[in-house]
């Protein structure tokens, strides 16, 4: 029997799709790893993450080793070289396996004539590794993009918004995030769940601020967690868990989760306030299916609505909401460590379009809120244009809004930055609708 | 050690049902060593005796990432199996052909090793697929037999064409 030596070919194909065709990694991975064993699929995924986290550095190695750039029909081989170098330099794959399997993969991507070339490049990488690292280190001193492995436009925006913290943000963006859980408060206390984890020898820590959040010391297959299938616990980043806390839904209230899919925050709202009447809205039918699945596993019930948050006429039943969570579409620059492809998929020009979209949605949602009701505006962005400046702009245009300060932050609004052992980058601001 | 020639589909000899191995001796071990060399050289993870035109019931496998887990299965039988999954498979008798085949997820196999000692082992993942694939060879069965006649025909034509081209070049 021969094995489709596919982890390398699959990784090269996935990276090609992301970097040449603009697809997201979360779309590319399931497709390219179809038919692989679980271990090979995991290797493919790990290789792609690593490649996208440090792409400029790996590209620099390829430029140093390959005289003539691989273009057009043989472009895929460029990504095979990337995969080979990632594995040789930064993964635990033994060198001879990394080389042999990557050379084989040339056959699978239908470029058998370049097998020799792939072999030669990877072997010279191996031979010259020490010198190449020294040269890269020297280049990094000259080029900030190589130092942080971020695109220039994003790095400049981070630098100007966070003069003291930008390099920490960049380095947190390039680290794998810890695994955070959310304990289902409707089923048990966090302390009880921590004991259940301890009984199974799973090392875990309670977050001091996010009261339902637990961080696992080591990532594990979540379906193996005690009570996972029964909905006792879900996977959700610590920073995202503040949405339900700030929304603070009360029993019997009408709540709208305006960009709900895949439903993590909708579920959190219901776990904390089972008697709230929750509407979960989203404009992506495929992802709405995930809301249904999440509700089912957690045995919660929400009214799931398909519709555009910016166009309430098309779906709204005409009754005002007590509270609205608006987790707005955004640049996702706060969750780069989970989605390293974002660095290369987003363009500077996307930001203005997103800011305009957020503004439209915010204006539309504001009309659906009762007087005295609250709207929590949230994004997983770290760019002020989408966050603080968006809110300032909103407050300048409407008269019946006031900011409810965020107690956790002791400030008007709350910009969380990604931190290596903590949460994602996130933004929150709570607005109350006043009588004019 | 010497490299052996692997029979290529649609060679009729691949349809031979192999006979049980009666004696595990040095002659057999020599064939086994040659088969390992042949398999490693072709980047295979398994090779059945049938494929090198030896019609006795044994096969070899190495599904380890580092190619340091050689296994020999003489007179193998699957005594338990469980679950179903579908994976892409290839075969050294079908160069560059890969197709999805449904197999049992886990198998328990009983066989003799290269010293003739009987052993049992549980396999899952790639090794489980490989054991089922190689055992099929010993029964004259090929992985394309699981595909639709249309797909199988397409593969046969492709390989026949490649064989003709190769013959011309030689």
């Amino acid at each position: 029997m021969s094995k489709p030596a596919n982890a390398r070919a699959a990784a090269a194909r996935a990276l090609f799709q992301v970097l040449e065709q603009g697809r997201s990694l979360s779309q590319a991975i399931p497709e390219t790893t179809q038919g692989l064993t679980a271990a090979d699929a995991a290797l493919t995924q790990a290789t792609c993450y690593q490649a996208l986290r440090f792409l400029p550095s790996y590209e620099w190695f390829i430029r140093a080793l390959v005289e003539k750039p691989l273009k057009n029909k043989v472009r895929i081989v460029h990504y095979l070289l990337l995969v080979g170098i990632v594995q040789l330099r930064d993964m635990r794959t033994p060198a001879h396996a990394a080389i042999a399997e990557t050379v084989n993969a040339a056959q699978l991507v239908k470029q058998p004539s370049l097998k020799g070339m792939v072999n030669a490049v990877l072997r010279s990488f191996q031979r010259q590794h020490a010198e190449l690292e020294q040269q890269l280190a020297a280049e990094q001193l000259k080029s900030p993009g190589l130092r942080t492995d971020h695109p220039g436009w994003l790095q400049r925006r981070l630098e100007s918004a966070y003069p003291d913290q930008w390099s920490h943000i960049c380095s947190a963006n390039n680290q794998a995030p810890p695994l955070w859980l959310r304990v289902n408060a409707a089923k048990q206390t966090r302390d009880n769940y921590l004991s259940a984890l301890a009984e199974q020898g799973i090392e875990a820590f309670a977050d001091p601020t996010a009261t339902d959040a637990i961080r696992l010391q080591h990532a594990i297959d979540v379906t193996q967690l005690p009570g996972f299938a029964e909905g006792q616990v879900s996977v959700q980043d610590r920073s995202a868990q503040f949405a339900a806390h700030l929304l603070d839904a009360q029993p019997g209230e009408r709540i709208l989760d305006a960009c709900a899919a895949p439903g993590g925050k909708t579920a959190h709202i219901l776990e904390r306030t089972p008697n709230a009447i929750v509407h979960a809205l989203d404009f992506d039918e495929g992802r709405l299916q995930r809301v249904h699945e999440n509700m089912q596993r957690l045995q919660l019930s929400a009214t799931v609505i398909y519709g555009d948050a910016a166009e309430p006429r098309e779906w709204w039943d005409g009754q005002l909401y007590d509270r609205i969570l608006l987790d707005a579409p955004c640049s996702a620059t706060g969750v780069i460590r989970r989605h390293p492809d974002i660095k290369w998929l987003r363009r500077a020009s996307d930001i203005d379009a997103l800011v305009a979209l957020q503004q439209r949605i915010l204006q539309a949602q504001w009309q659906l809120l009762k007087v005295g009701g609250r709207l929590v505006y949230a994004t997983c962005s770290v760019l002020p244009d989408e966050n603080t400046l968006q809110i300032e702009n909103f407050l300048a245009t409407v008269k019946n809004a006031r900011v409810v300060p965020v107690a956790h932050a002791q400030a008007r609004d709350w910009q969380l930055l990604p931190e290596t052992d903590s949460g994602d980058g996130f933004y929150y601001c709570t607005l109350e609708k006043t009588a004019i | 050690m010497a490299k052996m020639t692997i029979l290529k589909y649609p060679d009729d000899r691949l349809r031979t049902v192999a006979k049980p191995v009666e004696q595990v001796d040095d002659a057999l071990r020599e064939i086994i060593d040659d088969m390992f060399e042949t398999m490693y050289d072709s980047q295979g993870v398994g090779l059945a005796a049938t494929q090198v035109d030896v019609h006795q019931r044994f096969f070899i496998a190495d599904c380890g990432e580092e190619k340091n887990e050689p296994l020999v299965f003489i007179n193998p039988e699957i005594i338990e199996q469980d679950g179903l999954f579908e994976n892409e498979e290839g075969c050294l008798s079908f160069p560059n052909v890969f197709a999805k085949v449904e197999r049992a997820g886990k198998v328990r196999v009983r066989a003799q090793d290269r010293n003739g000692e009987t052993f049992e082992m549980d396999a899952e993942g790639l090794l489980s697929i490989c054991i089922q694939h190689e055992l099929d060879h010993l029964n004259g069965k090929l992985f394309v037999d699981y595909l639709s006649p249309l797909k199988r025909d397409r593969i046969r034509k492709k390989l026949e064409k490649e064989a003709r081209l190769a013959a011309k070049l030689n």
Side-chain angles (χ1 to χ4, degrees):
Chain A
M1 176 178 163
S2 60
K3 183 173 66 151
N6 251 329
R8 280 80 184 177
R13 287 195 191 108
L15 290 167
F16 180 89
Q17 289 185 9
V18 170
L19 297 166
E20 301 284 327
Q21 301 173 330
R23 295 188 80 199
S24 74
L25 189 61
S26 53
Q27 287 175 318
I29 289 270
E31 197 184 291
T32 49
T33 57
Q34 253 187 16
L36 291 194
T37 57
D40 276 349
L43 176 64
T44 304
Q45 178 156 347
T47 306
C48 290
Y49 272 73
Q50 180 71 23
L52 293 167
R53 286 192 173 122
F54 303 99
L55 187 65
S57 301
Y58 294 123
E59 292 283 5
W60 185 89
F61 286 124
I62 297 178
R63 277 200 305 279
L65 291 163
V66 180
E67 261 177 55
K68 207 169 138 228
L70 292 151
K71 286 184 181 163
N72 305 325
K73 277 187 183 163
V74 293
R75 186 66 184 154
I76 184 76
V77 178
H78 176 85
Y79 292 100
L80 268 186
L81 294 177
L82 175 61
V83 165
I85 291 176
V86 167
Q87 297 201 343
L88 282 175
R89 181 177 182 247
D90 291 306
M91 298 185 69
R92 273 176 294 178
T93 324
H96 58 93
I99 294 178
E101 298 267 303
T102 309
V103 169
N104 273 342
Q107 184 106 44
L108 292 165
V109 299
K110 303 202 166 60
Q111 297 296 340
S113 60
L114 292 176
K115 272 180 153 180
M117 183 259 190
V118 172
N119 188 45
V121 171
L122 295 182
R123 292 205 184 275
S124 37
F125 175 80
Q126 209 183 7
R127 232 181 4 254
Q128 306 168 29
H129 188 185
E131 301 132 64
L132 285 169
E133 290 289 350
Q134 280 178 2
Q135 290 170 25
L136 174 64
E139 287 296 321
Q140 281 173 333
L141 293 178
K142 286 185 249 163
S143 153
L146 268 180
R147 197 157 61 234
T148 61
D149 288 292
H150 276 56
W153 71 269
L154 179 57
Q155 185 176 323
R156 284 189 292 277
R157 284 195 183 224
L158 292 173
E159 254 184 280
S160 81
Y162 307 100
D164 299 328
Q165 292 146 302
W166 68 272
S167 70
H168 276 107
I169 298 174
C170 290
S171 95
N173 283 347
N174 291 341
Q175 306 289 320
L179 183 57
W180 284 99
L181 303 177
R182 181 188 79 233
V183 176
N184 185 345
K187 301 232 173 194
Q188 65 184 319
T189 64
R190 179 167 69 172
D191 285 347
N192 281 343
Y193 195 74
L194 281 167
S195 319
L197 289 174
E199 265 170 44
Q200 301 217 354
I202 300 170
E203 211 179 334
F205 304 92
D207 188 84
T209 325
T211 52
D212 300 323
I214 290 178
R215 177 170 60 84
L216 295 189
Q217 183 63 21
H218 305 285
I220 62 166
D221 173 10
V222 291
T223 57
Q224 303 302 310
L225 288 169
F228 184 81
E230 295 79 44
Q232 290 184 26
V233 71
S234 302
V235 174
Q236 188 177 42
D237 184 79
R238 163 193 193 269
S239 298
Q241 296 190 30
F242 291 109
H245 292 284
L246 292 172
L247 191 67
D248 195 24
Q250 300 299 312
E253 285 184 337
R254 265 173 65 87
I255 310 290
L256 175 65
D257 186 350
C259 301
K265 298 185 189 75
T266 319
H268 195 196
I269 295 166
L270 281 160
E271 287 169 4
R272 295 182 50 81
T273 321
N275 296 324
I277 300 150
V278 176
H279 290 181
L281 175 75
D282 207 278
F283 205 27
D284 181 335
E285 236 163 334
R287 276 161 51 87
L288 271 179
Q289 186 52 38
R290 304 257 320 270
V291 181
H292 284 292
E293 287 162 14
N294 266 320
M295 292 296 126
Q296 201 163 32
R297 183 180 63 88
L298 296 164
Q299 296 143 37
L300 299 169
S301 126
T303 304
V304 176
I305 305 170
Y306 168 71
D308 181 351
E311 299 289 345
R313 282 174 307 168
E314 293 167 8
W315 54 266
W316 185 43
D317 64 5
Q319 291 186 60
L320 295 168
Y321 290 100
D322 293 290
R323 291 168 204 258
I324 295 173
L325 171 60
L326 173 50
D327 183 11
C330 70
S331 62
T333 42
V335 293
I336 284 174
R337 56 189 194 152
R338 285 177 203 287
H339 304 283
D341 50 334
I342 287 170
K343 285 193 292 193
W344 317 113
L345 293 174
R346 290 275 175 280
R347 300 279 180 268
S349 55
D350 295 343
I351 306 302
D352 289 343
L354 284 164
V355 168
L357 174 65
Q358 290 154 357
Q359 190 182 357
R360 281 207 305 136
I361 297 178
L362 184 52
Q363 296 281 1
Q365 292 293 313
W366 194 246
Q367 310 308 317
L368 313 184
L369 192 63
K370 276 182 189 166
V371 172
R374 284 182 180 188
L375 182 147
V376 173
Y377 177 82
T379 72
C380 56
S381 165
V382 292
L383 301 179
D385 286 355
E386 300 175 85
N387 299 339
T388 300
L389 298 176
Q390 179 74 268
I391 293 300
E392 293 309 328
N393 181 38
F394 177 74
L395 291 170
T397 57
V398 296
K399 294 194 175 64
N400 58 348
R402 89 174 174 92
V403 170
V404 182
V406 178
H408 297 98
Q410 296 179 318
R412 274 162 69 81
D413 56 359
W414 195 12
Q415 178 67 67
L416 291 125
L417 298 176
E419 282 178 55
T420 301
D421 286 319
S422 187
D424 290 336
F426 235 88
Y427 175 80
Y428 290 108
C429 183
T430 308
L431 300 166
E432 191 179 87
K433 194 166 183 173
T434 56
I436 302 171
Chain B
M1 294 212 289
K3 244 182 75 183
M4 307 167 92
T5 305
I6 299 174
L7 300 180
K8 301 288 188 300
Y9 182 79
D11 195 310
D12 283 341
R13 288 170 288 181
L14 288 169
R15 295 302 184 179
T16 315
V17 178
K19 300 220 161 45
V21 174
E22 290 183 357
Q23 206 180 349
V24 180
D25 53 17
D26 285 345
L28 186 75
R29 280 187 283 271
E30 198 175 319
I31 301 176
I32 287 171
D33 289 340
D34 287 347
M35 280 172 63
F36 269 113
E37 190 187 344
T38 309
M39 179 181 82
Y40 286 132
D41 188 65
S42 328
Q43 314 288 347
V45 294
L47 185 64
T50 313
Q51 290 175 279
V52 290
D53 206 17
V54 174
H55 299 286
Q56 299 189 49
R57 298 190 75 80
F58 69 95
F59 65 82
I60 60 167
D62 187 340
C63 294
E65 173 93 341
E66 298 190 50
K67 300 288 167 233
N68 57 2
E69 296 165 31
L71 293 167
V72 177
F73 298 82
I74 299 170
N75 296 323
E77 36 180 343
I78 289 174
I79 49 180
E80 272 172 47
Q81 58 182 57
D82 187 28
L84 276 180
F85 69 155
E86 200 184 49
N87 275 285
E88 198 138 272
E89 286 178 26
C91 178
L92 295 177
S93 297
F94 295 77
N96 300 324
V97 173
F98 298 97
K100 279 189 185 164
V101 176
E102 194 175 74
R103 303 274 187 191
K106 292 180 186 172
V107 295
R108 185 166 180 81
V109 63
R110 183 188 295 143
Q112 288 157 270
D113 64 16
R114 61 182 291 133
N115 300 315
E117 306 283 342
T118 300
F119 68 96
E120 286 185 14
M121 79 182 286
D122 292 308
E124 55 185 351
L126 183 60
L127 182 58
S128 160
I129 301 170
C130 184
I131 289 170
Q132 296 171 70
H133 178 112
E134 302 310 335
L135 226 162
D136 275 351
H137 275 303
L138 304 182
N139 295 325
K141 192 170 166 107
L142 298 167
F143 82 120
V144 291
D145 297 348
Y146 294 93
L147 308 178
S148 73
L150 184 76
K151 271 192 194 165
R152 193 160 57 234
D153 206 39
R154 205 182 300 145
I155 290 170
R156 182 177 56 77
K157 283 190 179 135
K158 181 183 163 196
L159 292 181
E160 281 174 350
K161 187 177 160 196
E162 278 173 14
R164 273 202 308 277
L165 286 175
K168 255 187 213 164
L169 286 174
N170 293 334

